[in-house]
Amino acid sequence: MARLLQFLALAFALLASLQLVSPTVVTHTFHVQNLTVQKLCQERVVTAVNGNTPGPLLYVHEGDHLIIHVINNSPYNVTIHWHGIFQLLSGWADGAGYATQCPLQTGQSYTYKFNITNQEGTLWWHAHVKWLRATVYGGLIIYPRQDQSYPFRKPDKEFPIILGEWWNDNVIDVDDQALAKGGAPNISNAYLINGQPGDFYPCSSNGTYKVQFTEGQTYLLRIINAALNSQLFFKIANHNMTVVSIDAVYTEPYPTDVILVAPGQTTDVLVKADQPVGSYYMAARPYDSTSGVTFDNTTTTGIVIYHGSKSSTPKMPTMPDFNDTTTAHKFNSNLASLVHTRTWRPVPTEVDEHMFMTIGLGLVSCGRNANCAGPLGQRLAASISNFSFEFPTNMSMLQAHFYNISRIYNATFPDQPLETFDYTNSSLSLDQSLVMTTKSTTVKELRFNSTVEIVFQDTSLVGFDNHPIHLHGLNFHVLAQGFGNYNALVDRKKFNFRNPQTRNTIGVPVGGWAVIRFMANNPGVWLMHCHLEVHLSWGLATAFVVDNGGTPSSTLPPPPSDFPKC
């Protein structure tokens, strides 16, 4: 009898341990379809998921398995990208249109399946075809496993703060018309906090987003910049914030009264309700470092209301100037990873691939006997090392790689620019021997587990800009960043190998440079591009094709049976 009891106790213990390590399956269904909305005194039809924009907020734990059924009943081709998710051995679910899959056409469906592995924090999802992510987006919150905790004080409550951008016109038409004319697209009409413009826009104050604070409590704000073309400063009147995570990677606690989030980036902050009972605006407005270019200079607001407040007029924060590069760089360059946490990874020390990439704008020929709306009568473009990316249309690059099909892409992307020049010399901005580029589908092949170091160098061609560069499928360490032309003899001495910030999207300083390093330990095709949607439309992208590693645990499996066809 005693042996039987011992056996039963052992069996129950084993069952309990299996339950602890077994992943939870989280299932959702996304219906992508038209939605009629009222905003800025106008009625508009937009594309949305499940009748809302932003769409569903997904909550998972590290180790969970996600199954998302996507049904496209919209008039447009659609994919859903899970921004920042590693997609280890599930590259078919990355959702980058024509990079890892063909889009879902109207009436088609596809089931995305992937694991959440070694990631905790705030990420998000969005459409990855044309400009549809203007209204097709939502948050993806990854909690620690249920038997684990944050590496900071547990907040009393948390709120997602999703920043967006709004056009009164159809965004697909805005993009298409600009590409047809060769000039810049129309600017947006508003910024949004959780889908609402806020008090400073017409016909908007009734829907302004509000949160309630209780004096003395601490709150976690999960801030996501889902805007298409704008980096955004964010502040809360009279309140300080402490950054504790960026792009789902824990950071050294960084106190600040202002944060900067580029499109694609996420920032988690703790806020102590330590002010007198009252109401306070949270506000976001653009950081725009481009000289002489028109941009949407409006401000979106939400309201923090303390419990018991009778104040009817919220206090407004003093926002940085639109072109406050000093504040932007101070914030971006002072972030550091919190080492020795569960998800922390040290910087690889041996580098296999050294790459130097120029990033910026350019021009492509308007064609014989034609005149376009870009400078010099040409068509605006963007490029990396003067290769302006053009997506294939009859097959995804991942399919071509997996099945060894040629002529879908070419793997000749250079480690160094084909032409060297004084990259930040403004007098060269319209030098026709430098500014003209051509379209191609040119990528870089990488061996599995190779370590890659990239210097991103902004150029003055057409004009300086701050480019948020996003890498799919992999995180990277940001070793250093600065202004002017990168100088290896001087700037390598600035590298942080101890606790550099780790993320999936880096805002390369305007007229400057940034150095990243990562290990290519995930087989597949991983797009790398500017997360300003206008620059992606113009071609500021490339991709890394990472080979299999030779073992079952490092080999990409075949695509699922319902994989979309072009």
Side-chain angles (χ1 to χ4, degrees):
M1 183 68 177
R3 287 186 178 181
L4 177 60
L5 291 174
Q6 286 179 338
F7 173 79
L8 290 174
L10 181 63
F12 281 124
L14 178 62
L15 179 61
S17 68
L18 287 173
Q19 288 175 336
L20 283 175
V21 300
S22 297
T24 298
V25 177
V26 179
T27 303
H28 291 271
T29 299
F30 282 13
H31 294 276
V32 186
Q33 55 200 15
N34 282 350
L35 173 69
T36 301
V37 296
Q38 295 274 353
K39 212 174 292 290
L40 305 186
C41 312
Q42 298 186 25
E43 184 175 274
R44 256 203 60 208
V45 176
V46 301
T47 306
V49 172
N50 295 356
N52 285 292
T53 178
L57 190 60
L58 308 184
Y59 294 95
V60 299
H61 288 84
E62 195 278 322
D64 284 354
H65 180 69
L66 265 68
I67 299 176
I68 314 290
H69 307 288
V70 177
I71 302 164
N72 182 22
N73 290 317
S74 82
Y76 303 109
N77 290 348
V78 169
T79 67
I80 302 294
H81 170 52
W82 314 95
H83 186 110
I85 295 293
F86 292 150
Q87 300 292 357
L88 295 170
L89 302 185
S90 57
W92 306 106
D94 186 53
Y98 299 108
T100 57
Q101 71 165 95
C102 294
L104 303 182
Q105 299 174 39
T106 302
Q108 291 184 334
S109 62
Y110 178 48
T111 298
Y112 293 90
K113 299 178 181 180
F114 53 91
N115 295 323
I116 306 295
T117 305
N118 294 324
Q119 293 184 277
E120 299 173 10
T122 304
L123 295 173
W124 62 302
W125 57 266
H126 60 82
H128 212 298
V129 174
K130 287 186 167 289
W131 283 24
L132 280 180
R133 74 173 180 86
T135 53
V136 179
Y137 63 92
L140 174 51
I141 311 303
I142 307 171
Y143 293 113
R145 292 178 183 245
Q146 293 184 356
D147 60 337
Q148 297 172 342
S149 60
Y150 298 124
F152 51 82
R153 179 188 181 277
K154 183 179 179 181
D156 295 292
K157 195 172 183 179
E158 65 176 56
F159 299 102
I161 304 294
I162 307 180
L163 308 176
E165 195 167 6
W166 180 264
W167 276 259
N168 285 333
D169 297 317
N170 181 303
V171 290
I172 300 299
D173 293 342
V174 170
D175 183 36
D176 286 347
Q177 290 166 9
L179 292 174
K181 295 177 181 177
N186 292 339
I187 62 173
S188 56
N189 298 99
Y191 300 106
L192 310 173
I193 294 178
N194 290 345
Q196 298 297 329
D199 286 356
F200 299 159
Y201 296 94
C203 306
S204 299
S205 59
N206 286 342
T208 297
Y209 176 72
K210 299 178 178 67
V211 298
Q212 187 173 86
F213 279 11
T214 297
E215 194 174 9
Q217 293 195 338
T218 298
Y219 298 90
L220 176 64
L221 304 187
R222 299 179 179 271
I223 303 166
I224 301 167
N225 187 350
L228 259 66
N229 295 321
S230 297
Q231 302 195 64
L232 295 167
F233 288 118
F234 178 87
K235 293 187 73 171
I236 304 174
N238 293 12
H239 287 73
N240 290 320
M241 300 173 279
T242 300
V243 178
V244 292
S245 178
I246 55 173
D247 292 359
V249 180
Y250 294 118
T251 64
E252 292 278 355
Y254 177 64
T256 180
D257 70 336
V258 60
I259 70 167
L260 176 69
V261 272
Q265 292 181 336
T266 71
T267 304
D268 292 355
V269 299
L270 295 175
V271 181
K272 182 76 176 290
D274 57 3
Q275 294 300 300
V277 170
S279 57
Y280 303 83
Y281 275 123
M282 63 176 79
R285 77 169 185 172
Y287 163 56
D288 194 289
S289 54
T290 309
S291 177
V293 174
T294 302
F295 64 96
D296 179 356
N297 62 1
T298 59
T299 301
T300 180
T301 55
I303 304 175
V304 171
I305 304 174
Y306 276 63
H307 181 72
S309 170
K310 295 179 172 55
S311 170
S312 59
T313 304
K315 295 180 174 64
M316 183 67 187
T318 301
M319 301 299 290
D321 291 337
F322 297 113
N323 62 349
D324 190 346
T325 294
T326 300
T327 295
H329 184 66
K330 178 184 177 182
F331 178 81
N332 283 336
S333 60
N334 273 284
L335 301 171
S337 289
L338 185 63
V339 303
H340 305 307
T341 57
R342 289 179 297 273
T343 57
W344 174 77
R345 296 294 179 269
V347 181
T349 55
E350 301 295 326
V351 177
D352 302 296
E353 301 274 357
H354 288 273
M355 302 186 73
F356 185 99
M357 296 183 177
T358 56
I359 56 173
L361 306 184
L363 302 171
V364 292
S365 173
C366 191
R368 189 174 299 174
N369 301 323
N371 188 56
C372 289
L376 307 178
Q378 305 295 344
R379 189 181 301 277
L380 280 167
S383 69
I384 301 179
S385 296
N386 208 34
F387 287 80
S388 188
F389 196 79
E390 187 170 57
F391 284 90
T393 56
N394 60 345
M395 177 181 292
S396 74
M397 293 187 290
L398 184 56
Q399 287 172 285
H401 168 60
F402 188 86
Y403 293 111
N404 197 27
I405 297 173
S406 61
R407 298 184 180 180
I408 301 300
Y409 62 81
N410 70 80
T412 59
F413 195 93
D415 290 342
Q416 304 288 324
L418 301 182
E419 182 110 20
T420 59
F421 58 98
D422 184 0
Y423 304 114
T424 55
N425 184 344
S426 296
S427 68
L428 301 177
S429 64
L430 291 177
D431 186 322
Q432 293 195 58
S433 67
L434 299 171
V435 76
M436 300 302 296
T437 184
T438 55
K439 295 289 185 179
S440 66
T441 311
T442 304
V443 306
K444 170 74 174 180
E445 289 184 335
L446 297 173
R447 289 183 296 105
F448 180 80
N449 261 356
S450 59
T451 295
V452 184
E453 182 178 293
I454 304 175
V455 177
F456 294 121
Q457 174 68 61
D458 187 25
T459 76
S460 66
L461 298 180
V462 179
F464 292 119
D465 210 340
N466 182 309
H467 300 281
I469 302 297
H470 171 52
L471 177 59
H472 289 223
L474 300 156
N475 275 354
F476 50 77
H477 300 283
V478 182
L479 301 184
Q481 51 192 304
F483 296 99
N485 292 338
Y486 175 75
N487 182 335
L489 293 177
V490 175
D491 295 325
R492 291 191 72 85
K493 297 175 184 177
K494 305 172 186 175
F495 284 10
N496 177 1
F497 293 112
R498 186 180 70 83
N499 63 347
Q501 59 181 280
T502 306
R503 57 191 325 157
N504 61 62
T505 305
I506 171 68
V508 180
V510 56
W513 52 269
V515 183
I516 69 168
R517 188 179 291 184
F518 64 91
M519 182 175 286
N521 56 4
N522 191 6
V525 173
W526 305 114
L527 198 63
M528 186 176 74
H529 62 92
C530 182
H531 221 275
L532 300 179
E533 209 66 23
V534 60
H535 293 174
L536 177 58
S537 294
W538 288 343
L540 210 164
T542 186
F544 292 107
V545 178
V546 181
D547 291 334
N548 289 323
T551 65
S553 63
S554 62
T555 299
L556 183 69
S561 58
D562 64 338
F563 195 65
K565 295 179 174 58
C566 287

